[in-house]
């Protein structure tokens, strides 16, 4: 039974968890102004409802509104080798490289054609009353048309260990995540150059996962070299082992009977695993946490800080497949997707610190620092978590009274060891650049346009004495349009 649980979990988790790789992410790109320049932690503007809410109090009296649309395209690419095993794939054999390993590339794409956000503030004298709405986590669909290397590695190992010389299968993975965030709060100017902010962040999470692993076939001496359904073959071999065990027991050969019974148990596990797996799970959650902030002016220098408290999120599963809970009851690792199960996916606390300096009345430079307290959250996969740090710099220039340009850079640093890297969940360091323009089309209306791109490093991880190798990287490109209106 232990082997059956282990194999079932390995195969199923390769399908189910890959779509959720990364867990609940925090989207900091919640406005087109951020896309134009990711260093907005101490900037004074309507987008400050997310980046610097205390600073919004220094905007003019009246009503301020910002409408934003973003379109994002992301990819995840993993190049994997499980020794030479991928060369055994009957339908798609991978070539053997010079190091004796067979490499295959697995690519997942995530498109989010519409990522909306709204920021609104009403300023009156010392007070600023604020509202914000954005997709603060997830934001699209991710598909792996051919599964992942970790799954094919399990199938290939299963075929090899059972004496097969070839295998084939079909798999598909798709995950969809949307975490909608709403903020409500107020800032107050304690002094002409000092403001403070208090508010709440509300998150609503909605996720959906679909996938399958089916048509698992094997070929080898036991099949006469022809392809045969793996579950059919293992079922036949299991029955043969059971018959042999009964005959050995009748003949008084207790040791031989025990050996054949153990073989039957293992073959039964192979039979169950290779019958095919389907996943259809929906998840929903809601959480609330406070936000505090401060903004302080010293001449041409503006300093700001903000702290978003951790949001406790417990995703409630809706899985209509009655057979799934039966499997999950036998395999605790699958409980994450069982119907009615609550899954921990906290949104981490975030500390931001920023500074902006006015070199001339038309030219501003800025810098900032972010720290995500990931370790303090409760997640389904706690062992994959470490804190994240970001630093950023940027500049903004008023070319004319109606044209403004800006640009910025941001570096994101993860601190994970090789042991915590896998194709189910991985993070790699990156740097991001963004640039764009703001054009006043009326006295009180500005249109913003921006391009934003994240360049990820490639990280190579080797294990099992060099027989298992994985190379991880990603891409991310975002285009945005927005409109800021003052009333």
């Amino acid at each position: 039974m232990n082997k059956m649980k282990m194999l079932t979990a390995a195969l199923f988790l390769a399908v189910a968890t890959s779509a959720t790789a990364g867990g609940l992410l925090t989207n900091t790109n919640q406005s087109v102004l951020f896309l134009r320049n990711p260093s907005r932690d101490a900037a004074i503007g309507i987008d400050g409802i997310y980046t610097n809410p205390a600073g919004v109090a220094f905007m003019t009296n009246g009503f301020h509104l910002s409408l934003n649309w973003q379109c994002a395209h992301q990819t995840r690419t993993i190049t994997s080798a499980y020794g030479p095993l991928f060369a055994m794939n009957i339908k798609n054999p991978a070539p053997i490289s010079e190091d004796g390993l067979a490499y295959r590339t697995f690519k997942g794409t995530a498109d989010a054609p519409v990522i909306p956000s709204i920021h609104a503030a009403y300023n009156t004298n010392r007070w600023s009353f604020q509202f914000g709405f954005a997709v603060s986590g997830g934001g699209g669909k991710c598909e792996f048309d051919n599964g992942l290397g970790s799954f094919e590695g399990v199938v290939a190992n299963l075929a090899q260990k059972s004496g097969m010389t070839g295998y084939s299968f079909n798999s598909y993975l798709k995950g969809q995540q949307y975490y909608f965030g709403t903020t409500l709060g107020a800032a107050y100017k304690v002094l002409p150059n000092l403001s403070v902010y208090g508010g709440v962040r509300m998150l609503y999470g909605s996720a959906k996962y679909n996938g399958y692993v089916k048509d698992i076939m094997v070929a080898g001496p036991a099949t006469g070299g022809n392809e045969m359904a793996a579950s059919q073959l293992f079922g036949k071999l299991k029955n043969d082992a059971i018959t042999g065990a009964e005959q050995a027991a009748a003949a008084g050969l207790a040791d031989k009977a025990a050996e054949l019974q153990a073989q039957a148990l293992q073959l039964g596990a192979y039979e169950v695993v290779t019958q095919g797996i389907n996943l259809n799970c929906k998840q929903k959650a809601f959480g609330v946490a406070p936000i505090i902030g401060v903004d302080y002016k010293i001449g041409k220098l503006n300093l700001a800080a903000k702290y978003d408290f951790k949001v406790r999120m417990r995703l409630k599963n809706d899985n209509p497949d009655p057979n799934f809970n039966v499997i999950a009851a036998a395999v605790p690792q699958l409980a994450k997707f069982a119907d009615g199960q609550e899954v921990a996916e906290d949104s981490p606390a975030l500390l931001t610190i920023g500074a902006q300096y006015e070199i001339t009345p038309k030219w501003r430079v800025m810098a900032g620092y972010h720290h995500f307290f990931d370790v303090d959250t409760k997640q389904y996969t706690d062992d994959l978590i470490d804190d994240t740090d970001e630093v950023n710099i940027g500049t903004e220039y008023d070319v004319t009274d109606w044209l403004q340009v800006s640009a910025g850079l941001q570096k994101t640093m993860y601190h994970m060891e090789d042991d915590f890297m896998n194709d189910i969940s991985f993070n790699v360091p990156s740097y991001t650049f963004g640039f764009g323009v703001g054009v006043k089309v009326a006295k009180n209306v500005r249109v913003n346009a921006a391009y934003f791109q994240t360049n990820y490093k490639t990280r190579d991880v080797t294990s099992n004495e060099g027989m298992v190798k994985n190379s991880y990287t990603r891409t991310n490109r975002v285009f945005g349009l927005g409109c800021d209106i003052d009333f």
Side-chain angles (χ1 to χ4, degrees):
M1 287 298 293
N2 288 336
K3 288 186 177 180
M4 183 181 74
K5 289 181 180 181
M6 179 179 67
L7 287 168
T8 305
L11 286 172
F12 204 103
L13 288 175
V15 177
T17 317
S18 62
T20 64
L24 179 57
L25 302 179
T26 301
N27 293 343
T28 55
N29 56 312
Q30 296 192 13
S31 72
V32 178
L33 283 172
F34 179 88
L35 300 184
R36 285 176 47 184
N37 170 19
S39 187
R40 299 287 297 175
D41 302 301
I44 305 297
I46 187 60
D47 64 311
I49 288 174
Y50 175 72
T51 56
N52 178 21
V56 178
F58 292 109
M59 296 180 68
T60 59
N61 282 347
F63 185 69
H64 306 275
L65 177 67
S66 178
L67 304 174
N68 301 271
W69 164 80
Q70 299 178 46
C71 176
H73 175 75
Q74 302 175 346
T75 66
R76 293 171 180 238
T77 304
I78 308 107
T79 300
S80 300
Y82 282 66
L85 297 184
F86 290 164
M88 295 169 54
N89 190 310
I90 297 170
K91 294 181 179 179
N92 185 23
I96 302 291
S97 64
E98 294 181 357
D99 59 2
L101 306 181
Y103 292 88
R104 192 186 307 287
T105 297
F106 300 84
K107 186 174 182 179
T109 59
D111 289 303
V114 179
I115 305 175
S117 63
I118 301 172
H119 303 297
Y122 178 71
N123 286 12
T124 175
N125 298 322
R126 293 188 172 188
W127 285 96
S128 174
F129 301 98
Q130 304 172 21
F131 165 82
F133 171 82
V135 180
S136 57
K141 302 174 182 179
C142 186
E143 293 186 74
F144 292 85
D145 291 333
N146 298 307
L148 290 171
S150 59
F151 173 72
E152 184 166 355
V154 173
V155 175
N157 270 294
L158 184 65
Q160 184 193 51
K161 290 180 179 179
S162 58
M164 299 294 105
T165 57
Y167 66 87
S168 65
F169 70 101
N170 290 313
S171 67
Y172 172 77
L173 313 173
K174 181 178 180 180
Q176 175 179 302
Q177 288 183 329
Y178 289 95
Y179 295 91
F180 302 102
T182 299
T183 60
L184 292 171
Y188 181 73
K189 286 191 286 187
V190 180
L191 298 171
N193 63 336
L194 174 65
S195 66
V196 295
Y197 171 86
V200 295
R201 175 171 59 142
M202 296 168 282
L203 288 183
Y204 172 75
S206 176
K208 182 179 180 180
Y209 310 113
N210 297 100
Y212 61 76
V213 181
K214 62 183 182 181
D215 306 328
I216 300 177
M217 309 289 286
V218 292
T223 66
N226 299 316
E227 280 192 87
M228 182 178 184
S231 60
Q232 180 182 349
L233 171 64
F234 293 131
K236 178 181 181 301
L237 295 176
K238 177 195 69 177
N239 292 334
D240 291 344
I242 291 173
T243 300
E246 293 172 347
Q247 294 173 347
L253 303 174
D255 291 344
K256 183 64 174 178
E259 179 184 344
L260 289 171
Q261 288 173 350
Q263 289 180 7
L265 184 62
Q266 183 175 26
L267 291 166
Y270 292 167
E271 179 187 17
V272 171
V273 170
T274 55
Q275 285 177 354
I277 303 169
N278 288 290
L279 173 67
N280 181 14
C281 181
K282 297 179 181 179
Q283 297 178 327
K284 294 182 179 180
F286 179 78
V288 181
I291 309 170
I292 55 175
V294 61
D295 189 287
Y296 183 62
K297 292 178 172 294
I298 310 173
K300 297 181 179 181
L301 177 66
N302 190 61
L303 303 173
K306 175 177 70 84
Y307 186 80
D308 296 61
F309 287 78
K310 177 182 71 176
V311 180
R312 183 183 184 273
M313 297 287 283
R314 296 296 181 269
L315 299 167
K316 184 70 175 292
N317 289 349
D318 178 10
N319 192 330
D321 185 355
N323 296 324
F324 186 86
N325 276 23
V326 176
I327 299 173
V331 186
Q333 296 94 323
L334 305 184
K336 179 177 182 179
F337 300 97
D339 185 50
Q341 176 70 28
E342 285 192 347
V343 180
E345 291 285 359
D346 293 343
S347 180
L350 168 62
L351 172 67
T352 69
I353 300 172
Q356 175 176 285
Y357 185 75
E358 188 179 276
I359 297 177
T360 72
K362 292 186 175 183
W363 185 19
R364 294 162 293 281
V365 294
M366 54 280 290
Y369 167 75
H370 304 161
H371 183 83
F372 295 87
F373 295 86
D374 299 323
V375 172
D376 294 333
T377 64
K378 186 173 182 180
Q379 305 284 336
Y380 189 76
T381 51
D382 284 336
D383 59 336
L384 301 179
I385 299 173
D386 202 347
D387 284 353
T388 303
D389 294 292
E390 291 180 333
V391 293
N392 57 64
I393 58 172
T395 186
E396 186 177 75
Y397 186 73
D398 301 328
V399 180
T400 66
D401 292 339
W402 58 271
L403 176 63
Q404 184 185 81
V405 297
S406 58
L409 297 171
Q410 179 168 279
K411 182 177 182 181
T412 303
M413 296 160 284
Y414 297 100
H415 313 291
M416 295 182 178
E417 300 293 334
D418 284 354
D419 291 345
F420 299 144
M421 297 284 290
N422 56 72
D423 58 4
I424 293 174
S425 179
F426 71 88
N427 287 299
V428 291
S430 65
Y431 71 90
T432 297
F433 67 87
F435 59 87
V437 299
V439 180
K440 275 194 173 184
V441 295
K443 184 178 180 180
N444 62 332
V445 179
R446 181 177 65 184
V447 174
N448 298 299
Y451 177 75
F452 183 87
Q453 178 173 319
T454 303
N455 297 315
Y456 294 88
K457 291 185 177 180
T458 298
R459 183 164 174 179
D460 299 322
V461 177
T462 301
S463 60
N464 196 24
E465 298 181 351
M467 294 304 294
V468 177
K469 293 185 177 182
N470 288 287
S471 178
Y472 307 96
T473 192
R474 303 184 183 194
T475 67
N476 179 47
R477 294 176 174 84
V478 185
F479 173 77
L481 285 173
C483 182
D484 298 340
I485 308 171
D486 300 322
F487 296 92

